[in-house]
Amino acid sequence: MGARATETTRELESTSIKYQIGGHAEKMWQRLKGILRCLVKQLEKGDINVVDLKKNIEYAASVLEAVYIDETRKLLDTEDELSDIQSDSVPLEVRDWLASTFTREMGIVKRRPEEKPKFRSIVHAVQAGIFVERMYRRTSSMVGLAYPAEVIVTFKIPVPNLISFAEALEVGYSKYKNPYHNLIHAADVTQTVHYIMIHTGIMHWLTELEILAMIFAAAVHDYEHTGTTNNFHIQTRSDVAILYNDRSVLENHHVSAAYRLMQEEEMNILANLTKDDWRELRSLVIEMVLSTDMSGHFQQIKTMRHTLQQTEGVDKAKAMSLILHAADISHPAKSWELHYRWTMALMEEFFRQGDKEAALGLQFSPLCDRKSTLVAQSQIGFIDFIVEPTFSLLTDSMEKIVMPLIEEASKSESPAFGTPSQNSLGAVSNAEAQRRPSFKSTSDGGTHTENSLATVDLTSFKDNLMKIIQANKERWKELAVEEELVKNVGEQEKDQSRNSTDAQLQEETTRIQNESSQGSDGTTCPPRSIVLQVVSFDTPLSDESNSEKCTNSDPNQKDLTDAQQETQNTDPLNGEPKHCKKSEDSVKATEKEALIQN
Ligand code: AMP
Ligand code: ZN
């Protein structure tokens, strides 16, 4: 009998090792089942001694562990997603950038130097483009800042603290004068998060504390961004890279520095939260902001996809992180005019990093060489591999979460569904409501029927987004044809074609500038919302005298701290610009006032 048990042990040993190496989880499960059944039989017959039994159980445990490791590894493995990127239809430079930016494996797609494109691309067009620099209206205008009374009352946020904090945020976002990662981006992402929460109905699933965490995380998520990437920080061994051990360097800084602000009493907007709420909010904010590190993108998508396939509910922090991540890369899901401008702003920021890299004798990071970067091609790759899958996952997740709420609400005719009733369906479970006694169990409190679950139309939300994303991709494809031409022609022809590409992009830039500044009545005006300083890149960005102050007193023009209020009236993911009346005569060719619809 001992011999048979030892036989089982040996079999187990070789099996577990083989499976650890080969990772055939399915076979491993079958084998494990067989072995355990065999042990049970031996036990029933009394055909085994205790020592062998112990050994066999230990081996069974090790096989189980091997299966677990194998399964976990599969979940952590982002190779599946990356294999698509290897496709020859994606230019090498773009593949290189996707792999190095959106995974933790730096340079997973090795650059073959001989294939590196060696042409000068669209520098002039970029230089002539419209770029986001800073908002005009200083925060003094925030005296009249109108937050919905309920928000202030619910969280008891001291208004003077809120103003000081928002002012400090604006200063921090303006510190490095970034074309892209500036206070407009913060306002844009904050408003987009707000939009997603309302239009998907997810707000009915979240508690008020969680909604506050979402808005707060969006507002601070790029605070004091240096305009350079995590990898640049790591390569240059910057102070923050050293401080955060090369892990999510910028993201750690954003959230840490924002919390540091609130250590000052007059900026502490969370002063009235209970200890538990403060801790819970902090934990959510940290998780959300850290999840905006793009190197975790594929992992985040994979984990969330996996969650959706399970029968259990969706983890709140994970769902909230996905919303913030989606909002952070949402400009391709907005009108072409906006998307184009954001893209060019980001490219200029990348190119400035490239300039720094050149000055430091470092290799160019992907997309950072202003002389050879394939802008249109990179955008197609970005949309195909990053944006579309993210928004598709976002809408699938929202469906899984919100559909049951809608069904339940329609049955009980709860306030969340638009008909006030005693029998309200809380977006939050009773247990959760009890856990946070200082918050009402639903975010709408039964008063805001305009944002009720009854008005949620997830299908249109999804269709609309996907349509815009597709349309934008088509525009890039048109521009990519020219880009490709330039890449392939000879040196002399290259110059001519480059002029043509540049001219085409220049034309696009001018067209967008004109569209942005022409009212439907023919008067020159910005569309609406946030006033941007648009400057040529030759213009010293720090020089206040170069900034034509916007004299337009249109109350629709808001700055970062007003942005949330805008959300009630605007549709950032759908954005047809509305027009205002005021004409702007003092606009110069290289220094214009523009508005970004937000
Ligand atoms: P964040 O840096 O937190 O704003 O995250 C957004 C990141 O998404 C950027 O830093 C870029 O890496 C990437 N991204 C956003 N828009 C684009 C775009 N149009 N093209 C390429 N990458 C983009
Ligand atoms: Zn961002």
Side-chain angles (χ1 to χ4, degrees):
M1 68 179 174
R4 223 188 309 155
T6 313
E7 194 62 16
T8 318
T9 307
R10 254 191 238 119
E11 235 179 88
L12 272 167
E13 194 165 17
S14 62
T15 312
S16 71
I17 289 167
K18 189 170 80 205
Y19 283 132
Q20 256 165 334
I21 295 164
H24 312 298
E26 184 59 38
K27 271 198 215 157
M28 216 186 321
W29 279 122
Q30 298 299 340
R31 190 79 195 122
L32 185 64
K33 214 162 63 184
I35 287 162
L36 289 174
R37 291 230 167 95
C38 175
L39 286 178
V40 172
K41 268 191 200 144
Q42 287 171 347
L43 271 174
E44 279 170 358
K45 286 188 202 157
D47 190 20
I48 193 165
N49 72 30
V50 176
V51 176
D52 284 339
L53 177 66
K54 193 170 162 248
K55 262 188 186 170
N56 284 337
I57 292 175
E58 271 166 7
Y59 273 115
S62 76
V63 174
L64 198 58
E65 194 180 20
V67 179
Y68 175 77
I69 290 169
D70 197 59
E71 288 291 300
T72 315
R73 189 187 55 75
K74 266 198 258 158
L75 197 62
L76 292 173
D77 198 358
T78 52
E79 259 172 33
D80 296 353
E81 284 74 7
L82 280 176
S83 60
D84 290 344
I85 300 174
Q86 313 289 339
S87 145
D88 281 347
S89 63
V90 187
L92 191 76
E93 188 200 19
V94 176
R95 278 187 263 165
D96 210 357
W97 163 67
L98 286 168
S100 63
T101 306
F102 299 96
T103 76
R104 296 201 201 283
E105 295 172 59
M106 274 301 300
I108 201 165
V109 183
K110 290 276 169 280
R111 183 186 293 274
R112 280 171 278 157
E114 71 276 13
E115 285 189 33
K116 192 163 181 268
K118 290 195 195 73
F119 69 98
R120 212 182 111 84
S121 63
I122 49 179
V123 183
H124 301 306
V126 170
Q127 285 176 331
I130 304 174
F131 292 95
V132 175
E133 166 46 18
R134 57 189 287 275
M135 291 189 286
Y136 276 103
R137 293 190 320 140
R138 290 312 310 158
T139 44
S140 56
S141 61
M142 283 159 47
V143 176
L145 157 124
Y147 276 91
E150 303 95 292
V151 174
I152 290 164
V153 170
T154 302
F155 297 109
K156 305 180 202 77
I157 295 173
V159 175
N161 296 21
L162 183 58
I163 292 171
S164 304
F165 180 69
E167 275 179 355
L169 273 191
E170 291 201 351
V171 170
Y173 272 111
S174 310
K175 192 167 171 183
Y176 297 94
K177 304 175 178 24
N178 305 323
Y180 182 91
H181 286 105
N182 51 40
L183 71 181
I184 314 290
H185 171 64
D188 180 43
V189 173
T190 308
Q191 193 174 24
T192 305
V193 157
H194 189 261
Y195 177 92
I196 293 172
M197 285 198 294
I198 288 177
H199 290 268
T200 60
I202 200 76
M203 60 184 271
H204 299 283
W205 183 62
L206 300 172
T207 63
E208 283 164 341
L209 186 71
E210 286 157 353
I211 292 173
L212 176 65
M214 281 252 52
I215 297 290
F216 180 81
V220 305
H221 88 280
D222 274 331
Y223 177 62
E224 287 190 340
H225 198 293
T226 53
T228 48
T229 61
N230 279 338
N231 195 40
F232 183 83
H233 279 278
I234 295 166
Q235 297 304 326
T236 57
R237 305 175 193 176
S238 72
D239 284 348
V240 262
I242 299 297
L243 181 64
Y244 295 113
N245 300 318
D246 298 349
R247 307 276 166 90
S248 301
V249 173
L250 282 163
E251 293 73 21
N252 268 306
H253 176 76
H254 303 320
V255 72
S256 167
Y259 265 89
R260 199 174 295 281
L261 283 180
M262 292 189 298
Q263 302 278 63
E264 302 290 328
E265 211 180 315
E266 76 274 12
M267 285 190 237
N268 187 5
I269 61 170
L270 305 177
N272 294 326
L273 290 191
T274 65
K275 246 187 184 162
D276 284 351
D277 287 335
W278 191 89
R279 288 186 66 83
E280 185 177 346
L281 184 121
R282 176 164 164 80
S283 152
L284 286 169
V285 169
I286 292 172
E287 181 160 348
M288 278 188 274
V289 176
L290 291 188
S291 80
T292 64
D293 177 353
M294 293 294 149
S295 72
H297 166 83
F298 283 113
Q299 188 56 64
Q300 186 183 7
I301 299 294
K302 189 156 192 169
T303 310
M304 196 66 183
R305 273 259 165 253
H306 181 76
T307 305
L308 292 191
Q309 284 154 12
Q310 311 302 306
T311 44
E312 299 96 68
V314 180
D315 178 81
K316 280 215 168 145
K318 296 259 175 301
M320 292 161 75
S321 296
L322 180 64
I323 293 172
L324 181 56
H325 176 47
D328 205 13
I329 53 168
S330 63
H331 59 87
K334 299 180 184 178
S335 70
W336 169 252
E337 286 68 24
L338 286 177
H339 171 45
Y340 180 83
R341 285 158 72 176
W342 281 121
T343 300
M344 290 318 218
L346 182 64
M347 289 303 142
E348 176 54 23
E349 196 169 300
F350 283 166
F351 296 160
R352 288 184 190 179
Q353 176 174 317
D355 298 343
K356 288 189 184 125
E357 287 168 337
L360 291 168
L362 297 170
Q363 234 197 332
F364 283 118
S365 293
L367 304 198
C368 288
D369 182 357
R370 58 170 83 240
K371 295 195 174 122
S372 68
T373 290
L374 299 158
V375 175
Q377 291 278 12
S378 72
Q379 291 313 294
I380 297 165
F382 179 58
I383 290 175
D384 271 344
F385 294 103
I386 310 297
V387 179
E388 267 176 13
T390 303
F391 276 92
S392 156
L393 179 62
L394 178 77
T395 48
D396 288 352
S397 310
M398 299 299 108
E399 256 169 35
K400 172 156 178 164
I401 296 165
V402 176
M403 290 315 279
L405 295 183
I406 294 178
E407 275 164 31
E408 222 179 306
S410 66
K411 276 185 228 148
S412 63
E413 294 193 325
S414 79
F417 202 65
T419 323
S421 136
Q422 283 295 91
N423 185 21
S424 82
L425 166 79
V428 184
S429 68
N430 279 345
E432 256 176 309
Q434 275 162 14
R435 207 153 48 81
R436 300 189 201 95
S438 58
F439 291 98
K440 281 182 270 171
S441 62
T442 56
S443 52
D444 61 332
T447 51
H448 301 291
T449 49
E450 71 273 20
N451 293 325
S452 80
L453 278 167
T455 63
V456 170
D457 182 353
L458 280 171
T459 312
S460 324
F461 177 81
K462 184 176 187 167
D463 291 350
N464 197 27
L465 281 182
M466 292 306 169
K467 228 184 274 164
I468 298 170
I469 292 172
Q470 285 307 323
N472 284 336
K473 191 162 72 178
E474 291 309 313
R475 300 291 284 262
W476 287 119
K477 279 186 179 166
E478 286 164 22
L479 294 172
V481 173
E482 276 297 311
E483 210 173 58
E484 187 65 22
L485 257 175
V486 177
K487 184 181 166 187
N488 293 329
V489 289
E491 202 55 48
Q492 203 190 347
E493 289 164 310
K494 203 191 283 179
D495 274 347
Q496 290 165 1
S497 298
R498 183 189 313 134
N499 291 341
S500 140
T501 305
D502 288 357
Q504 199 182 348
L505 283 157
Q506 170 82 63
E507 211 177 279
E508 187 62 20
T509 301
T510 312
R511 193 185 66 71
I512 286 171
Q513 270 176 330
N514 289 340
E515 273 182 19
S516 302
S517 59
Q518 287 289 319
S520 53
D521 55 358
T523 55
T524 311
C525 72
R528 65 176 162 162
S529 202
I530 296 174
V531 188
L532 303 181
Q533 168 93 59
V534 179
V535 292
S536 122
F537 286 116
D538 302 328
T539 311
L541 296 171
S542 57
D543 190 347
E544 284 284 323
S545 65
N546 281 321
S547 312
E548 287 263 5
K549 285 266 175 192
C550 180
T551 52
N552 193 336
S553 58
D554 188 328
N556 280 334
Q557 296 174 6
K558 305 288 181 192
D559 56 18
L560 169 61
T561 47
D562 289 337
Q564 193 181 342
Q565 192 190 351
E566 280 295 303
T567 340
Q568 306 298 334
N569 314 315
T570 56
D571 187 348
L573 297 177
N574 186 17
E576 278 304 300
K578 281 182 190 165
H579 300 288
C580 64
K581 292 266 182 314
K582 198 137 183 165
S583 93
E584 303 278 332
D585 295 334
S586 57
V587 177
K588 292 182 194 167
T590 56
E591 185 178 322
K592 286 190 173 183
E593 289 175 345
L595 289 174
I596 192 161
Q597 177 212 356
N598 233 305

